[in-house]
Amino acid sequence: MKNYMAGVFMAFVGAVLTMSLSGCGNAIPDMTEEQQGMVTEYAAQLLLKYDANYQNTILTEEQSREAEEELIRDAELAALVQEQQAMQQAAEENKSEGGREESSEPAEPVYTDVDSFLGLSGSVEIEYAGYLVCDSYPEGTEENDWQGVARATSTNSKLVVFTFTLKNVSGSDYMLDMASLGAKFSFRINGNITKTSLTTLLTNDLMMYRDTIPAGESVDVVLLIEMPTADTENFTSIKMTMKLGDSRAETTLL
């Protein structure tokens, strides 16, 4: 049992290390060496969390199965993040090679609810719950917390965390796979600052969220951007742009 689990752990750590070296990290794009270190530390802490010696006990068969399933989910999430990075990089290269790019966006944006735009009306209601300015998210995590943490990349910048509540109104358990949906989000702050939502390894990242929401229950998810600290001191307006395939719409948050 111990050798089996060690093999699973080391395979997962190796996969995360490989993805971190190829550019997949805490926030995409432009992952720093420090962020690569965070991904490596994340994998190592997962190993410690489930290692039999660390727990001073022998894992039961059920615990082993749960541990493996959780590691597999995390590996799948990391792979999806890597795919998102590759798509972003390809888009940037196409833009630079093609020279001036003519905008295909409509002159007058269409305003609509988030769930309506994503085709989730009648299944999942998505409500904006507010924003938080911070150096890292989630806040208050302990030093040895195994879960992923997003951090601002410099001392002169902050994370802005937009929180949304997903409520299952379908009448039965609903599997929401935002990662496969491929929706993109960006924010226009105070009318003149535009920031694209970061792709992260957070399990409650709205763009990458993939889980079953029980009937009638709600979960909180987030979208993150990074801004210079000075620009976060006073928000007078916030508009969120949503893109899904060739469709585009906006919604007013503030």
Side-chain angles (χ1 to χ4, degrees):
M1 177 73 71
K2 181 178 178 181
N3 291 336
Y4 168 75
M5 288 304 298
V8 173
F9 299 141
M10 296 312 297
F12 174 70
V13 171
V16 176
L17 285 171
T18 300
M19 283 183 285
S20 68
L21 291 175
S22 62
C24 177
N26 181 270
I28 297 173
D30 300 330
M31 189 185 72
T32 65
E33 291 183 4
E34 180 182 359
Q35 288 173 306
Q36 292 180 8
M38 289 181 214
V39 175
T40 304
E41 179 184 0
Y42 167 80
Q45 288 174 347
L46 271 177
L47 177 61
L48 288 175
K49 180 175 185 283
Y50 291 111
D51 187 85
N53 292 331
Y54 180 75
Q55 295 286 356
N56 293 321
T57 60
I58 301 299
L59 293 176
T60 65
E61 183 176 352
E62 181 179 358
Q63 289 172 324
S64 298
R65 184 174 62 255
E66 291 177 353
E68 182 178 355
E69 289 175 353
E70 184 168 355
L71 290 173
I72 291 172
R73 285 196 301 270
D74 291 331
E76 289 175 345
L77 178 60
L80 286 168
V81 170
Q82 185 182 36
E83 182 180 357
Q84 292 288 333
Q85 180 194 27
M87 294 173 61
Q88 289 175 354
Q89 183 177 358
E92 291 174 1
E93 290 175 354
N94 291 337
K95 182 177 180 180
S96 61
E97 291 175 359
R100 182 176 179 180
E101 181 182 24
E102 294 186 4
S103 174
S104 59
E105 297 179 352
E108 294 295 331
V110 176
Y111 289 87
T112 186
D113 294 333
V114 182
D115 47 272
S116 297
F117 178 74
L118 298 177
L120 297 173
S121 294
S123 299
V124 176
E125 291 182 351
I126 303 178
E127 296 291 340
Y128 173 63
Y131 71 89
L132 169 70
V133 178
C134 54
D135 294 314
S136 63
Y137 178 86
E139 294 184 304
T141 55
E142 298 180 0
E143 184 176 350
N144 63 344
D145 196 319
W146 67 274
Q147 299 184 36
V149 178
R151 294 184 175 87
T153 57
S154 77
T155 57
N156 297 320
S157 62
K158 297 280 189 182
L159 293 178
V160 183
V161 183
F162 299 96
T163 304
F164 300 82
T165 299
L166 309 179
K167 183 177 181 180
N168 181 355
V169 295
S170 68
S172 60
D173 293 354
Y174 188 85
M175 174 61 188
L176 178 61
D177 190 352
M178 288 293 297
S180 296
L181 198 60
K184 304 293 183 183
F185 302 88
S186 61
F187 297 85
R188 189 164 73 252
I189 311 296
N190 297 344
N192 61 351
I193 301 173
T194 300
K195 293 290 181 179
T196 300
S197 181
L198 300 173
T199 304
T200 76
L201 286 172
L202 298 169
T203 56
N204 63 333
D205 185 329
L206 175 58
M207 286 197 300
M208 307 303 292
Y209 186 83
R210 185 170 58 182
D211 204 353
T212 298
I213 306 174
E217 295 193 11
S218 301
V219 296
D220 291 331
V221 295
V222 296
L223 291 171
L224 279 68
I225 61 173
E226 184 171 357
M227 298 177 61
T229 301
D231 292 337
T232 64
E233 295 177 354
N234 182 30
F235 289 171
T236 57
S237 67
I238 303 173
K239 294 186 183 299
M240 183 174 74
T241 299
M242 306 170 285
K243 293 183 179 180
L244 185 62
D246 295 330
S247 300
R248 174 182 178 272
E250 287 190 358
T251 187
T252 301
L253 304 183
L254 178 66

